[in-house]
């Protein structure tokens, strides 16, 4: 190859070209940073949260407390109460309920400066004392709250089914910030807003105000996929001004005279259902009707049309006592209980005032009516006094539904100046009263931790300990809550439809006995078997189509690792 000698000018040109390329690369980098820093959205100081005993990334499990269960053999759903920090409980549910939850309702702390919201800042504390309330003038007030909420909303997004959604109540203190946070997590197109009129005629003495009285709160509605979520119409009493009477002695009883046509002025001769009706007196009424002519004839034949005492009035529809109409949900929620009525109904149920600012059962029940199906799973991870559980139970009784609720709350709260164990002293006793009235069963779990290392550094001994203690979580995952057998090698749980059998030991000296036990089960079974790998074939069950085999603990660890990488 011929050697070409470079001149000083060539070298200078090459240096300039290299410098231009370097500067162009630097400009591109700065443009990318500028675009990232100046994009539209919510920006705050993301403050890491300190947990007691530094358990944030340890291996969480759910341990059952059998003595606190309520067991009824009435064929109604078994509901779950989980005591513990909702971050850890939601981590466990990401294994047991990923993609299974249909409706979530939460009433988080509003960050008012006096609502008990506490946050432990991991950056500046060497030890983790009891959390202190975040005052309204704290410079990191919004950052603390947003860091707290984001961590939990990130966890629940994966819990939602394809048509799942979450209702979040909030007031003006964090509404603007929460809306932008939810936009970033769920997508702007998947977030909408309702308004709850929380003050009614029962409000009593009014607070002094120099501008205007706030009578509302907000409910943010966040969808997993809005295009797959549809709200249902609901039945309401017909709001006609006239009284219930029975002027023609109808044997079906008293009725109101409901509107069944538009007025002469509002009737459109070219519109739908424009036709004439002849009254018993011979008067011809030509206008636009709210039913077609065939439907009108059927109603008239059934004596559902009233023409007045003389038989010559504008026809009206007889609406009897107890008959309701279908109503389309609206964004304004009124006449669904108030802040005061919610406190009164809880006090009447429990016999004393034990909780500040509960939400009305009627409000949550309305949200469930329009959004849930009869066999849905409903989650509340700020369960407080347990209003959501009562709403689910009452709605099940009304429409013969089988919805299952999962309530998560911590066990440390100050109410009316006294320390309460909020799950043990407030939520669980309330649910016991509700279950006594409406039926069903409950299982009580606590969050706990296993292993010596964090999630990413889990060693073989940690995996063994996780497998040995995963039975409660596996029972939850398969909805089989009745433990029918346990020894040092396996557990068996049962529901009316199936069994869950768990071989949790890493040694297989008793595995043949376990296989024999499983093959004798008379219902379909999900079998969990200890394996060092995520997937492993167990030939012992390959010919039985009623047995489905899964492994532990690696799939649980995989879920936990995904969560760890999110936060």
């Amino acid at each position: 190859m011929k050697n070409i000698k470079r001149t000083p000018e060539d070298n200078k040109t090459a240096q300039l070209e290299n410098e231009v390329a370097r500067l162009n690369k630097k400009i591109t980098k700065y443009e990318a940073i500028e675009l990232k820093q100046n994009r539209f959205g919510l920006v705050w100081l993301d403050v890491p949260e300190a947990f007691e005993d530094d358990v944030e990334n340890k291996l969480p499990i759910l341990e059952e407390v059998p003595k606190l269960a309520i067991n009824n053999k009435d064929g109604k759903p078994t509901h779950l109460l989980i005591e513990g920090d909702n971050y850890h409980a939601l981590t466990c549910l990401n294994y047991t309920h990923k993609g299974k939850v249909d409706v979530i309702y939460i009433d988080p702390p509003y960050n008012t400066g006096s609502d008990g919201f506490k946050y432990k800042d991991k950056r500046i504390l060497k030890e983790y004392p009891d959390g202190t309330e975040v005052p309204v003038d704290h410079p990191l007030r919004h950052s603390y709250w947003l860091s707290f909420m984001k961590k939990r909303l990130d966890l629940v997004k994966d819990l939602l089914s394809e048509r799942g959604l979450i209702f979040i109540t909030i007031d003006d203190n964090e509404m603007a910030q929460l809306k932008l946070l939810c936009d970033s997590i769920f997508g702007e197109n998947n977030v909408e807003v309702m308004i709850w009129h929380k003050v009614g005629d029962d409000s009593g003495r009014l607070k002094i105000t120099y501008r205007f009285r706030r009578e509302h709160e907000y409910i943010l509605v966040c969808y997993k996929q809005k295009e797959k979520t549809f709200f249902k119409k609901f039945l309401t009493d017909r709001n006609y001004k006239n009284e219930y009477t029975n002027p023609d002695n109808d044997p079906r009883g008293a009725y109101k005279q409901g509107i069944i046509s538009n007025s002469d002025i509002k009737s459109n001769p070219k519109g739908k259902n424009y036709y004439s009706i002849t009254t018993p007196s011979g008067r011809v009424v030509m206008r636009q009707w709210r039913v077609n002519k065939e439907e009108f004839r059927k109603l008239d034949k059934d004596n559902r049309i009233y023409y007045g005492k003389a038989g010559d009035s504008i026809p009206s529809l007889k609406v009897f006592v107890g008959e309701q109409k279908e109503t389309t949900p609206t964004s304004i929620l009124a006449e669904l209980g108030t802040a005061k009525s919610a406190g009164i109904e809880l006090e009447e149920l429990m016999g004393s005032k034990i909780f500040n600012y509960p939400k009305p059962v009627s409000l949550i029940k309305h949200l469930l009516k329009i959004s849930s199906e009869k066999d849905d799973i409903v989650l509340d991870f700020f369960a407080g006094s347990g209003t959501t559980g009562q709403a689910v139970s009452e709605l099940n009784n009304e429409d013969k539904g089988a919805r299952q609720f999962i309530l998560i709350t911590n066990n440390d709260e100050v109410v009316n100046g006294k320390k309460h164990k909020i799950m043990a002293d407030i939520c669980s006793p309330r649910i016991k009263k509700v279950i006594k009235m409406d039926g069903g069963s409950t299982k009580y779990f606590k969050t706990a931790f296993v292993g010596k290392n964090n999630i990413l550094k889990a060693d073989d001994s940690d995996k063994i300990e996780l497998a040995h203690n995963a039975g409660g979580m596996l029972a939850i995952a398969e909805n089989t809550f009745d433990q029918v057998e346990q020894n040092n090698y396996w557990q068996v749980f049962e529901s009316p439809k199936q069994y869950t059998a768990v071989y949790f030991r890493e040694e297989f000296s008793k595995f043949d006995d376990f296989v024999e036990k499983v093959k004798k089960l008379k219902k379909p079974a999900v079998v969990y078997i200890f394996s060092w790998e995520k997937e492993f074939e167990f030939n012992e069950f390959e010919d039985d189509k009623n047995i489905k085999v899964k492994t532990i603990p690696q799939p649980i660890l995989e879920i936990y690792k995904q969560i760890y990488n999110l936060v």
Side-chain angles (χ1 to χ4, degrees), residues 218-235:
Y218 306 94
I219 299 178
L220 278 176
V221 190
C222 307
Y223 308 94
K224 183 72 170 285
Q225 299 180 64
K226 188 169 73 173
E227 66 275 9
K228 295 185 178 181
T229 307
F230 301 96
F231 283 177
K232 295 178 288 189
K233 292 183 178 181
F234 59 99
L235 295 176

Side-chain angles (χ1 to χ4, degrees), residues 142-276:
H142 294 296
S143 291
Y144 282 147
W145 191 85
L146 286 167
S147 300
F148 174 83
M149 289 299 295
K150 184 180 187 303
K151 183 172 284 190
R152 286 149 181 83
L153 291 176
D154 277 335
L155 286 176
V156 300
K157 183 180 179 182
D158 284 340
L159 295 182
L160 291 173
S161 64
E162 285 189 347
R163 61 175 180 82
L165 75 163
I166 176 171
F167 295 103
I168 311 173
T169 53
I170 200 67
D171 71 1
D172 290 285
N173 284 282
E174 294 290 358
M175 169 58 185
Q177 291 76 241
L178 181 59
K179 173 65 168 65
L180 289 174
L181 177 63
C182 290
D183 286 348
S184 69
I185 294 172
F186 295 94
E188 186 176 350
N189 187 52
N190 285 319
V191 180
E192 295 181 319
V193 181
M194 290 177 164
I195 296 174
W196 171 45
H197 185 225
K198 70 171 186 175
V199 177
D201 295 334
D202 65 351
S203 56
R205 188 175 178 181
L206 303 181
K207 293 180 179 179
I208 296 174
T209 179
Y210 297 99
R211 289 169 297 278
F212 58 86
R213 180 176 172 224
R214 283 192 170 87
E215 296 191 346
H216 70 279
E217 288 181 7
Y218 306 94
I219 299 178
L220 278 176
V221 190
C222 307
Y223 308 94
K224 183 72 170 285
Q225 299 180 64
K226 188 169 73 173
E227 66 275 9
K228 295 185 178 181
T229 307
F230 301 96
F231 283 177
K232 295 178 288 189
K233 292 183 178 181
F234 59 99
L235 295 176
T236 58
D237 292 325
R238 297 172 186 266
N239 189 24
Y240 296 122
K241 293 180 180 179
N242 53 359
E243 300 297 323
Y244 283 104
T245 60
N246 194 357
D248 60 351
N249 296 315
D250 193 305
R252 290 166 289 193
Y255 56 86
K256 287 187 176 184
Q257 296 172 35
I259 299 168
I260 196 172
S261 65
N262 296 340
S263 64
D264 288 334
I265 296 174
K266 292 184 178 179
S267 290
N268 180 4
K270 295 182 180 180
K272 186 179 180 181
N273 297 330
Y274 187 85
Y275 53 84
S276 65

Side-chain angles (χ1 to χ4, degrees), residues 31 87 115 119 124 134 253 274 425 444 532:
E31 285 178 342
Y87 175 78
D115 64 350
Y119 195 81
I124 58 176
V134 181
Y274 187 85
D425 295 347
Y444 193 109
W532 294 110

Side-chain angles (χ1 to χ4, degrees), residues 24-73:
N24 281 333
K25 189 175 181 179
K26 202 168 186 179
I27 290 169
T28 301
K29 181 180 178 180
Y30 280 127
E31 285 178 342
I33 294 173
E34 182 79 5
L35 179 62
K36 185 176 182 180
Q37 290 179 341
N38 290 284
R39 70 184 188 275
F40 178 79
L42 181 63
V43 178
W44 78 94
L45 178 63
D46 190 9
V47 185
E49 183 176 356
F51 292 94
E52 295 293 344
D53 302 321
D54 197 21
V55 295
E56 178 183 6
N57 303 313
K58 293 289 181 67
L59 303 175
I61 60 168
L62 298 176
E63 287 185 341
E64 186 182 358
V65 185
K67 67 180 181 180
L68 297 179
I70 303 173
N71 298 306
N72 291 318
K73 303 294 183 181

Side-chain angles (χ1 to χ4, degrees), residues 6 10-20:
R6 292 173 64 87
D10 291 335
N11 290 331
K12 190 173 182 180
T13 299
Q15 289 175 350
L16 289 173
E17 288 175 346
N18 288 336
E19 182 67 11
V20 169

